[in-house]
Amino acid sequence: MLMRIRPKTDLRTLIALLAITSIVITLANTLYATWRVQRMVLIESTLEANRAYATKLAATTEVFFQLAQSQLHYSATQLGKDFDNPELAQQEVNRLREQTNSFNSVAVVDTNGIVKAISPESLMLKGMQLTSQASREALAQRQPMVSKPTISAANNLIVFVSWPIWSNEGRYLGYVGGTIYLKKKSILNALLGEQFYRDGTRVYVLDRNNQVLYHQNSQLIGKTAPEIVSERQRNESTNGEVQVKEEDTPKLAGYAIVPTTGWMVVALKPTDVTLQPLSGLLLKVLKNSVPFALLTLLMAVIFARLIALPLWQLARKASQMDTQGVSGEISGIRAWYFEAAQVKRALLTGIGLVQDKIGRLKSEVQTDPMTNLLNRRGLSAVLDYFETMRQPFAVLALDIDHFKRVNDNFGHDVGDEVIKQVARTLRNSARQTDVVCRNGGEEFLMLLPATSTEEARVIAERVRSSIAESWIDHVGHITLSVGIAHWEADNQPQDVSLKQADAALYQAKNAGRNCVMIAGQDALVSSITR
């Protein structure tokens, strides 16, 4: 039959394992906390950077539209002075398109929507009536405006910026307007497309209906994009930041609104691109932490050995407590901290008690065979132990009143039963630390460690009352007389206290029995119950 061998686990191993576990957990927690904090910092800084970037582009776009409207305003003023001059009209549209490069095309349109002049002339729209939504809105509103994205007469997706033309007399003459192509090369594309980060950030522009007006992927222009910011958020703040999912990929977005047009500029960066530096950062943290962790581990192993050594030595000697001279070997062990010193002291005390006293306390020689209480020999061993430990105690001397009458009237067998009944009552009344002895015949002793005289009186009175109230077959009620004394270490010999308790017992007898007397007191402590 194979025996299963269980590995021995000593304190040094346990301390070392605890230290290793603590170091590993601490290192893992440090890495995790670093990862969490850095992840949050990277995300927050990217969101803020995208918000600031989108705000910058929105401000740039706003400035562009204001400049474009200012240019149109100037031309409208000049045209209002001589609206019927075709050369002036053509000169202005050419200047607007070529001088600033703000517009892809520029046109002057009268109140009937007829194109009076256009640049470039290759569009061949001169003399034609414009019926686009942007043209009709410009004629109807008669005020500066930036149209919604619309399809032009040349079938281009455009934004139309216009300014009304008024005569010197205040008569509405038409408007001058410039188009900005959204799908072709334009100054708007240049403004938005040339300013982008090279770290994965992308920019696009949406109108109020989430139609894409600008995107680095021109195939997406004119299409409807998923909603990033609600209408309520647009109205509450002109810029902000949000985490979104685009094509099932988490992204960090910053947005800003262009006031003139209501367009929204969005700067977007994939979250995984933002978090790419994390792995390198964690590796650096790990490289810097491992040497200190190894040094801490080495120190933990050394201290584990220093801490465990005294307890290990004491544990080995504890298994040899019955060996001759083991006390001297234990005394030579260097217990350099409090717990080891206490264990050492307890072992030395225990060895003395085991070798000199405890064995006799448990032997049959120290036990009264009738009552199973300690006899005189056991009492002597306990007293020696109390003296060694400097343990103060109260002593109760107890004697059954008129016991001779019980033997004479009912026989010795009944007398033995009375003694056994009294012994059981005393044992049940005693506390766990109390010692109950049969001193001989009908006399008993109770040793109450760490008990004051007053506490001993209360206990004695309880025992006396229990005996007096108990019913014993054939005999009926019996009573006890009790004497109390107290012993303090370095105060007086133990036998003096025992004699004082015995003298108090006889004082109780003389006072009428069934009472409790305290040594050195003349008064009767408990009322006599006869």
Side-chain angles (χ1 to χ4, degrees):
M1 181 178 178
L2 295 176
M3 295 183 63
R4 187 176 181 181
I5 300 176
R6 294 184 178 180
K8 294 182 178 179
T9 304
D10 55 23
L11 181 61
R12 181 172 60 183
T13 303
L14 290 175
I15 294 176
L17 287 175
L18 177 62
I20 293 172
T21 303
S22 300
I23 292 170
V24 171
I25 291 176
T26 301
L27 184 59
N29 183 63
T30 300
L31 290 175
Y32 178 69
T34 302
W35 178 82
R36 286 290 301 271
V37 171
Q38 290 300 323
R39 185 178 187 276
M40 180 179 65
V41 169
L42 286 173
I43 288 176
E44 290 181 353
S45 61
T46 299
L47 286 171
E48 174 58 24
N50 285 348
R51 185 200 64 79
Y53 184 44
T55 302
K56 173 186 174 183
L57 292 181
T60 302
T61 304
E62 175 69 12
V63 169
F64 163 73
F65 278 115
Q66 289 179 357
L67 289 175
Q69 288 183 326
S70 177
Q71 294 167 6
L72 293 174
H73 181 203
Y74 176 80
S75 294
T77 302
Q78 298 302 316
L79 292 169
K81 297 177 182 178
D82 191 5
F83 186 71
D84 294 325
N85 186 345
E87 294 181 359
L88 177 62
Q90 191 62 44
Q91 179 182 344
E92 282 300 316
V93 296
N94 288 335
R95 182 184 64 79
L96 283 172
R97 190 178 71 85
E98 296 174 0
Q99 183 178 9
T100 63
N101 200 30
S102 298
F103 306 104
N104 291 91
S105 64
V106 181
V108 176
V109 180
D110 64 14
T111 55
N112 296 317
I114 304 299
V115 177
K116 295 181 65 65
I118 189 167
S119 179
E121 296 184 64
S122 58
L123 293 176
M124 295 187 299
L125 295 176
K126 187 174 182 180
M128 295 182 61
Q129 185 180 28
L130 298 180
T131 59
S132 65
Q133 180 67 27
S135 179
R136 293 199 303 270
E137 288 183 358
L139 291 173
Q141 294 185 15
R142 299 184 178 185
Q143 61 183 10
M145 61 167 289
V146 178
S147 73
K148 297 178 181 179
T150 185
I151 301 297
S152 68
N155 201 30
N156 291 319
L157 181 63
I158 65 168
V159 172
F160 189 61
V161 184
S162 64
W163 196 278
I165 302 173
W166 300 89
S167 68
N168 293 335
E169 294 80 19
R171 183 168 56 88
Y172 179 68
L173 303 176
Y175 65 83
V176 57
T179 60
I180 302 172
Y181 293 170
L182 298 179
K183 284 190 174 184
K184 295 182 179 181
K185 184 178 179 181
S186 66
I187 191 170
L188 188 58
N189 283 319
L191 288 173
L192 298 173
E194 292 180 2
Q195 303 183 58
F196 64 91
Y197 292 152
R198 302 188 182 274
D199 59 355
T201 301
R202 292 293 177 265
V203 175
Y204 58 90
V205 180
L206 303 175
D207 66 6
R208 290 188 176 275
N209 298 319
N210 291 317
Q211 183 180 13
V212 179
L213 305 182
Y214 168 79
H215 200 286
Q216 278 133 336
N217 181 1
S218 60
Q219 298 298 321
L220 298 177
I221 297 176
K223 296 183 179 180
T224 301
E227 183 179 73
I228 292 180
V229 179
S230 66
E231 188 66 27
R232 180 181 60 83
Q233 290 175 299
R234 282 174 177 251
N235 296 331
E236 288 179 354
S237 176
T238 58
N239 59 71
E241 54 195 40
V242 65
Q243 298 188 45
V244 299
K245 270 194 174 184
E246 187 179 67
E247 300 177 354
D248 295 328
T249 302
K251 294 186 178 181
L252 307 174
Y255 67 89
I257 306 301
V258 180
T260 298
T261 61
W263 297 354
M264 182 171 67
V265 180
V266 180
L268 203 66
K269 184 176 182 180
T271 304
D272 57 351
V273 175
T274 298
L275 300 180
Q276 277 181 355
L278 264 183
S279 57
L281 177 63
L282 290 179
L283 186 60
K284 290 180 182 179
V285 173
L286 188 61
K287 287 181 178 179
N288 291 327
S289 301
V290 166
F292 292 99
L294 293 177
L295 178 61
T296 305
L297 179 60
L298 177 62
M299 296 298 296
V301 172
I302 294 174
F303 276 107
R305 186 179 185 281
L306 291 175
I307 293 172
L309 182 60
L311 294 178
W312 177 76
Q313 293 173 332
L314 291 171
R316 288 186 60 195
K317 297 305 176 184
S319 62
Q320 306 170 5
M321 291 179 65
D322 56 348
T323 305
Q324 190 69 25
V326 70
S327 297
E329 295 177 6
I330 291 178
S331 298
I333 295 175
R334 181 174 174 268
W336 56 274
Y337 55 93
F338 176 76
E339 288 77 5
Q342 290 294 95
V343 172
K344 176 180 176 180
R345 179 180 176 184
L347 279 177
L348 290 174
T349 302
I351 288 171
L353 294 176
V354 167
Q355 294 179 346
D356 299 332
K357 305 298 177 184
I358 295 179
R360 285 178 290 167
L361 282 174
K362 294 184 177 179
S363 68
E364 294 181 359
V365 178
Q366 296 174 310
T367 305
D368 176 55
M370 179 186 296
T371 61
N372 288 326
L373 301 178
L374 291 179
N375 57 18
R376 287 178 180 270
R377 193 185 298 271
L379 173 64
S380 177
V382 172
L383 290 172
D384 289 345
Y385 172 74
F386 282 175
E387 186 168 16
T388 300
M389 299 302 294
R390 322 301 292 169
Q391 174 64 63
F393 62 88
V395 56
L396 273 59
L398 309 100
D399 187 83
I400 303 174
D401 295 331
H402 302 299
F403 183 71
K404 187 175 182 301
R405 294 181 186 176
V406 174
N407 281 335
D408 292 344
N409 295 335
F410 304 102
H412 289 281
D413 290 341
V414 174
D416 290 346
E417 289 299 322
V418 170
I419 290 175
K420 291 178 182 179
Q421 175 68 26
V422 171
R424 284 194 293 271
T425 303
L426 294 179
R427 190 185 298 110
N428 294 335
S429 300
R431 300 169 300 182
Q432 185 176 3
T433 56
D434 296 341
V435 179
V436 184
C437 310
R438 185 185 178 194
N439 202 26
E442 70 274 20
E443 296 182 5
F444 300 87
L445 282 177
M446 291 182 68
L447 302 182
L448 314 178
T451 304
S452 65
T453 301
E454 178 58 27
E455 291 174 330
R457 184 196 67 78
V458 174
I459 294 172
E461 183 62 29
R462 184 171 67 244
V463 171
R464 183 199 65 76
S465 299
S466 297
I467 294 295
E469 294 171 0
S470 299
W471 174 266
I472 301 177
D473 293 340
H474 307 295
V475 178
H477 294 286
I478 63 170
T479 60
L480 285 179
S481 295
V482 186
I484 301 174
H486 194 269
W487 180 78
E488 289 280 352
D490 302 325
N491 189 17
Q492 63 184 9
Q494 289 180 338
D495 58 346
V496 174
S497 296
L498 295 177
K499 289 178 181 179
Q500 290 176 345
D502 196 54
L505 169 63
Y506 282 101
Q507 187 180 1
K509 292 282 188 182
N510 294 331
R513 296 182 174 83
N514 191 24
C515 63
V516 177
M517 297 297 293
I518 299 175
Q521 296 185 7
D522 296 332
L524 188 63
V525 175
S526 63
S527 60
I528 301 174
T529 304
R530 290 184 172 85

